[in-house]
Amino acid sequence: MRSSYAIGVDVGGTRIAVGLVERKGRIIKDAKSLTPKGGPFAIVDEVIDMVAEVSDVVKQGEIVGIGIGLPAQIDFARQSVEFCTNLPLAGVDVRSLVMSRVRHHVTMDNDGNLAAFGESKYGAAKGIRHFAMITLGTGVGGGMFIGGDPYRGFRGLGGEIGHMVVQLDGPPCPCGGNGHVESYLGRPAIAAKGRDVAVTHRGRAILEVAGGDVNLITAEDVIKASFAGDQAATEILMEAGVVLGKTLVGIVNLLNPQMIVVGGGIGEACPFMIDRAAEVIAAEALAGRRDVRVVAAELGNDAGVLGAAALAFEESDSKEGLNR
Ligand SMILES: [Zn+2]
């Protein structure tokens, strides 16, 4: 009998979410907590407790495995964490630590790849064989499906759309590079643009949304001011839409996808940014590729858990799955 459930674990810089997910994508039971600050073992302990909490409503034999998404560069073939900006997990053998204490098979992947997995199995890209996903949040991530399969590259590190160069010698990116997509579209970049304009008369609406303190302005404040009709905030987000569009022109020209899915907290909050990007693609992509659909992700806050569960199902179903 095919087992019917997977456990999806979404470890973020501030929160951890874990869900017991049935094969069709319904979350049966979930748990959420703040990411512990006490180092890698505290994070692993928390994950194990949460897995136990959600999995007690079904028989253990009905669970195919656990998928874990991390905001990290993960060598998928080795299942190792190579680099992790926001959490102390680089070089930590997270998978073995978890597997030594639970009965289930564990597979890890980068959160951008898993967002693509979730949209492919349960969301906007269901049935779409060629698509790229870009997630706009604090970081900018992404993933690609080519011919119905995830494309991760030689060592499983591919899909980092957020770290493509859009401007030579552009502003610094948290990864250490310059002029990367993330240095324009990540939350800190949008917040910084909001702060720049908020110290001028034009930006007073943004300043008001943030309670009058320019240092407290967030990307969400810029979005809020824009939805309240503020011109300066809307311009910041429209310019971000152009950067997004130009980035995606490169991807569309390279991959000729059927669809681009834009997700993450910022992407989902700004449908007009997605529309602006679609206009840029329609105007600038090479001939024959412009019919690509540019859509918002559908899984919202559950994207991480559902993507991780989708990976666990996929690993379990695939004959060539990781059996190490
Ligand atoms: Zn970068």
Side-chain angles (χ1 to χ4, degrees):
M1 189 191 83
R2 285 205 333 171
S3 299
S4 309
Y5 304 96
I7 294 172
V9 178
D10 176 25
V11 180
T14 49
R15 281 185 188 77
I16 301 176
V18 177
L20 177 71
V21 180
E22 61 154 33
R23 203 169 264 281
K24 286 191 174 151
R26 195 161 61 94
I27 298 175
I28 306 292
K29 187 173 179 187
D30 66 353
K32 293 186 169 69
S33 77
L34 293 175
T35 308
K37 298 289 174 214
F41 296 106
I43 295 171
V44 169
D45 286 347
E46 185 69 28
V47 165
I48 288 166
D49 286 350
M50 292 168 81
V51 165
E53 186 187 333
V54 302
S55 60
D56 63 0
V57 290
V58 295
K59 292 192 191 106
Q60 293 302 296
E62 291 180 297
I63 297 173
V64 300
I66 300 174
I68 299 181
L70 298 174
Q73 309 277 313
I74 291 174
D75 181 326
F76 188 77
R78 290 186 188 162
Q79 287 286 291
S80 60
V81 182
E82 299 291 301
F83 183 78
C84 190
T85 320
N86 297 318
L87 296 171
L89 295 176
V92 177
D93 193 350
V94 176
R95 178 174 180 258
S96 298
L97 287 171
V98 175
M99 274 180 75
S100 68
R101 291 169 56 190
V102 298
R103 287 175 47 183
H104 307 295
H105 190 80
V106 174
T107 313
M108 298 191 305
D109 206 345
N110 155 282
D111 51 5
N113 281 339
L114 290 186
F117 247 100
E119 293 296 329
S120 167
K121 205 166 168 70
Y122 304 123
K126 225 188 285 178
I128 303 289
R129 293 173 57 77
H130 303 271
F131 75 95
M133 167 106 206
I134 182 165
T135 56
L136 307 179
T138 302
V140 176
M144 294 173 276
F145 268 66
I146 297 177
D149 293 316
Y151 182 79
R152 296 189 178 89
F154 172 49
R155 291 179 60 201
L157 292 162
E160 292 293 345
I161 292 169
H163 300 281
M164 298 199 314
V165 176
V166 285
Q167 186 175 343
L168 302 180
D169 301 323
C173 180
C175 74
N178 280 91
H180 291 182
V181 176
E182 186 171 309
S183 42
Y184 291 88
L185 299 183
R187 269 198 183 89
I190 292 173
K193 291 241 163 73
R195 286 195 291 273
D196 285 350
V197 70
V199 295
T200 69
H201 183 64
R202 282 187 67 239
R204 61 194 183 284
I206 299 174
L207 191 60
E208 233 166 73
V209 170
D213 184 344
V214 74
N215 295 311
L216 296 182
I217 291 171
T218 63
E220 273 73 11
D221 292 333
V222 177
I223 294 170
K224 225 182 271 173
S226 169
F227 273 105
D230 181 57
Q231 183 69 24
T234 302
E235 275 171 27
I236 291 171
L237 297 169
M238 283 303 202
E239 274 168 32
V242 172
V243 174
L244 177 62
K246 300 255 182 195
T247 304
L248 296 176
V249 164
I251 291 171
V252 166
N253 286 347
L254 183 69
L255 298 179
N256 183 206
Q258 287 164 275
M259 181 183 276
I260 301 276
V261 185
V262 184
I266 298 294
E268 285 165 28
C270 278
F272 55 91
M273 189 198 283
I274 300 177
D275 293 344
R276 185 74 193 96
E279 285 169 13
V280 172
I281 294 168
E284 297 184 20
L286 290 171
R289 296 159 175 79
R290 296 177 181 177
D291 57 351
V292 58
R293 289 165 57 202
V294 185
V295 301
E298 290 180 356
L299 300 182
N301 291 334
D302 294 329
V305 164
L306 289 175
L311 174 69
F313 281 123
E314 173 78 16
E315 282 299 312
S316 152
D317 293 346
S318 158
K319 284 188 211 106
E320 288 147 24
L322 297 170
N323 289 314
R324 282 163 283 166

